[in-house]
Amino acid sequence: MKAPSFRIQLLLISVLLSGVVLMVFGAVAWAVIVRERTRSLDQELVMSGQQILNRSRMNQDFRMSPPGMGEWLDGLPHPDQAAWVETLGGTLVRTSPNWPEAIGREDLFPGGMPEPSEEPEWPAGGLGSGDEHPAFGGGFGGGGPGGMGAPGGVGGPGGPGRRLRGPMRNQPAGNRLGRQEPELFTLRGEAGVWRIGRFETPMVRLFVAVNQDRMMRDLDQIRTAFLVALPVALLLIAAGGLLIARQALGPVKALTHAAERITARGLDQRISEVSSAPEFRRLIQVFNDMLDRLEASFGQAIRFSADASHELKTPLAVMQGEIEQAIRAAEDRPEQQRVLSDLLEQVQRLKDITRRLLLLSQADAGRLPLSLQEADLGEMLEGLTEDIEVMAEAAGLSFRAQTPAGCMVRMDPNMLRMAVLNLYSNAVKFNESGGRVESDLMLTADWARLRITNTGPGIPEAMQALVFERFHRGNARQTGPSEGLGLGLGLAREIARAHDGDVHLASSRRGATVFELVLPRGDPR
């Protein structure tokens, strides 16, 4: 599987990290909102309970006297609130009209029902306009008789009255109403989700409940809005990340394009500064320094190859002349002639090697000498047919050639003949007994394609990329005194490229290997 590009990886990482951050932020924000909403709800419950108890006075029949508890239970400050009042002995006093029927007394004690207490004793005659009762400490700040500020109430001019012992903690001093602070809990059931606060005084127990459905709907809307906004935010982050990645990798792209223009024949080119970032400036400097060293090394290798090949030509020519003269002088000594003939063949081989090395070094330097002229490629191939047939017959192979006439190509006939001979020689060498060699010249309006096919075991896939490497040799079947040096295909390709064409391995499988020579039907540049 192909790995995604660095730009895509950067984009995915940014989106993934952003998504994780947004999810964590959403979870924390959700917890904070729920906590604050619950805290606000609890404050409303405590305030409502304090207001009810502060404004209420009870008579002996547990009936509320205006503006007492009954009025406040019928009109609670919040429309979603409901109230339940009972004595400490468990006797129901009153509930608000909107108290849910599904919530019973056993639901109001999640920790277990309390032990029943004795019913409180109420003063005879009830609580009058000036009476006070220990359950309320002489009134709780209401505006009616006996309330705070009224005659006989707590803090009123009529006397100090009595305060409750054990005031609720965390409550304001003016709201210390009972023995303990209210207990708050959440009740879930058929009636929905209710938040309930329990208040106890020495005489009564008050439950104030608020329906949380509205709050839950609000929270659901917030959650839905977040879940809808999350993919939109991720898309925006992805777009921004793609833009940033494109801008950040722009210098790398420019650097790549500049490096692609540098070839073996253009090592003198250098990459100009494509970014003001110091990291890229340093990279360009290192790359140009590497090109300096590479150009120097490559030039030295080319000069050595060219100089060595050139210097070997003279002594080899001298050796060839001396050996030929010695062969003529040894006409009456057959054994000596045989030895000298073998030496002459090796000298010829050395001359061919030096010539090829010289041509390759010239091709590397971009100075391969071409003598271009308009010529018929089909006619040139016809002239090679006899030589190829002899070569194939000597190897026990059959040869077939299809060469249509009228294929005019601007070429160097000698150079191109050498390239074609190298391809034919390769087809004969890497063949099988009783095999065949086929040559087909195909023409188009712009190109001439020469396909040379040979039978044989084929080229292993791992070696196909190496067939044009210099001095690389496959497992050839021995067809003559020499197996070659692995320079023929590389030289053929260099000659074709000098003509603005190419040589490539078209296909190779067991039974057939096809090389293709492609030449333009026009002037090489």
Side-chain angles (χ1 to χ4, degrees), residues 321-331 333 336-337 340:
E322 294 292 337
I323 292 174
E324 289 175 348
Q325 185 177 356
I327 290 175
R328 289 192 297 269
E331 292 180 353
R333 296 187 293 275
Q336 187 176 359
Q337 279 191 334
L340 291 173

Side-chain angles (χ1 to χ4, degrees), residues 84 86 90 92 99-114 183 185-188 190 196 198 205 207:
W84 169 298
E86 66 176 25
L92 177 63
W99 183 267
E101 296 182 358
I103 299 180
R105 186 171 186 271
E106 63 278 3
D107 300 320
L108 299 176
F109 297 93
M113 297 288 288
E183 179 184 356
F185 59 92
T186 301
L187 182 63
R188 293 177 173 84
E190 298 178 359
I196 300 176
R198 183 173 68 196
R205 184 181 292 118
F207 296 90

Side-chain angles (χ1 to χ4, degrees), residues 52-53 58 62 64 69 73 83-96 99 103-109 112-120 122 135-136 185 197-208:
I52 292 173
L53 293 177
M58 304 185 71
F62 304 96
M64 311 306 157
M69 189 176 292
L73 293 186
W84 169 298
V85 182
E86 66 176 25
T87 65
L88 295 184
T91 302
L92 177 63
V93 176
R94 188 166 181 172
T95 63
S96 63
W99 183 267
I103 299 180
R105 186 171 186 271
E106 63 278 3
D107 300 320
L108 299 176
F109 297 93
M113 297 288 288
E115 293 293 334
S117 304
E118 294 183 0
E119 294 292 349
W122 301 81
F136 302 101
F185 59 92
R198 183 173 68 196
F199 304 80
E200 290 192 5
T201 72
M203 294 294 296
V204 295
R205 184 181 292 118
L206 169 65
F207 296 90
V208 180

Side-chain angles (χ1 to χ4, degrees), residues 5 16-17 49 56 110 153 203 268 293 298 306 335 382 389 410 426 457 461 487 505 525:
S5 64
L16 179 61
L17 291 179
S56 299
M203 294 294 296
D268 57 333
R293 296 190 299 270
F298 195 72
E335 184 64 25
E382 285 288 346
E389 287 177 345
R410 189 165 178 78
N426 187 76
E461 186 176 356
L487 297 175
L505 177 63
R525 294 183 298 273

Side-chain angles (χ1 to χ4, degrees), residues 202-434:
M203 294 294 296
V204 295
R205 184 181 292 118
L206 169 65
F207 296 90
V208 180
V210 62
N211 194 336
Q212 290 185 293
D213 289 343
R214 180 179 299 179
M215 185 187 78
M216 299 305 297
R217 286 193 300 269
D218 294 341
L219 293 176
D220 288 341
Q221 291 178 355
I222 295 175
R223 179 174 57 191
T224 302
F226 175 79
L227 294 178
V228 170
L230 180 62
V232 176
L234 291 179
L235 286 176
L236 294 176
I237 291 172
L242 186 61
L243 182 62
I244 294 174
R246 180 178 300 175
Q247 184 175 0
L249 296 178
V252 177
K253 186 176 180 179
L255 184 63
T256 302
H257 290 331
E260 286 175 346
R261 295 192 296 269
I262 299 175
T263 62
R265 300 179 182 180
L267 290 175
D268 57 333
Q269 299 187 30
R270 295 296 179 267
I271 300 176
S272 59
E273 185 173 314
V274 295
S275 174
S276 59
E279 295 83 2
F280 288 108
R281 289 202 302 269
R282 176 59 179 164
L283 176 62
I284 293 171
Q285 180 182 355
V286 171
F287 198 86
N288 287 334
D289 292 343
M290 180 192 68
L291 287 177
D292 291 337
R293 296 190 299 270
L294 184 61
E295 182 185 13
S297 300
F298 195 72
Q300 184 178 3
I302 291 176
R303 288 192 299 272
F304 173 79
S305 179
D307 293 343
S309 300
H310 187 273
E311 293 298 328
L312 286 173
K313 289 173 60 177
T314 300
L316 288 175
V318 173
M319 290 176 61
Q320 180 180 353
E322 294 292 337
I323 292 174
E324 289 175 348
Q325 185 177 356
I327 290 175
R328 289 192 297 269
E331 292 180 353
D332 56 346
R333 296 187 293 275
E335 184 64 25
Q336 187 176 359
Q337 279 191 334
R338 186 185 63 79
V339 174
L340 291 173
S341 297
D342 291 342
L343 290 175
L344 181 61
E345 183 177 347
Q346 295 301 322
V347 170
Q348 291 284 5
R349 184 166 180 253
L350 285 174
K351 288 183 64 178
D352 183 61
I353 292 172
T354 55
R355 183 190 178 195
R356 294 188 181 195
L357 287 175
L358 180 59
L359 290 174
L360 287 171
S361 63
Q362 290 172 338
D364 290 338
R367 298 190 299 268
L368 187 65
L370 294 179
S371 180
L372 297 174
Q373 62 184 23
E374 195 77 20
D376 191 338
L377 180 60
E379 184 179 339
M380 187 201 74
L381 294 176
E382 285 288 346
L384 293 176
T385 300
E386 184 177 348
D387 294 337
I388 305 304
E389 287 177 345
V390 173
M391 187 187 306
E393 184 178 354
L397 306 174
S398 62
F399 175 72
R400 179 190 65 80
Q402 179 182 356
T403 54
C407 179
M408 301 304 295
V409 175
R410 189 165 178 78
M411 61 182 178
D412 184 326
N414 293 327
M415 286 290 185
L416 201 56
R417 185 180 293 109
M418 181 187 303
V420 174
L421 281 174
N422 286 341
L423 293 176
Y424 280 134
S425 176
N426 187 76
V428 171
K429 189 184 306 179
F430 294 91
N431 215 310
E432 58 188 3
S433 298

Side-chain angles (χ1 to χ4, degrees), residues 1-5 8-9 12:
M1 183 178 178
K2 187 178 179 181
S5 64
I8 299 300
Q9 294 182 30
L12 293 177

Side-chain angles (χ1 to χ4, degrees), residues 28-56:
V28 173
W30 173 264
V32 171
I33 292 173
V34 171
R35 185 187 64 185
E36 293 302 319
R37 287 292 186 93
T38 304
R39 179 182 298 175
S40 176
L41 203 63
D42 291 346
Q43 291 177 350
E44 291 181 1
L45 283 176
V46 172
M47 184 178 298
S48 297
Q50 291 172 350
Q51 289 175 345
I52 292 173
L53 293 177
N54 282 337
R55 291 282 187 107
S56 299

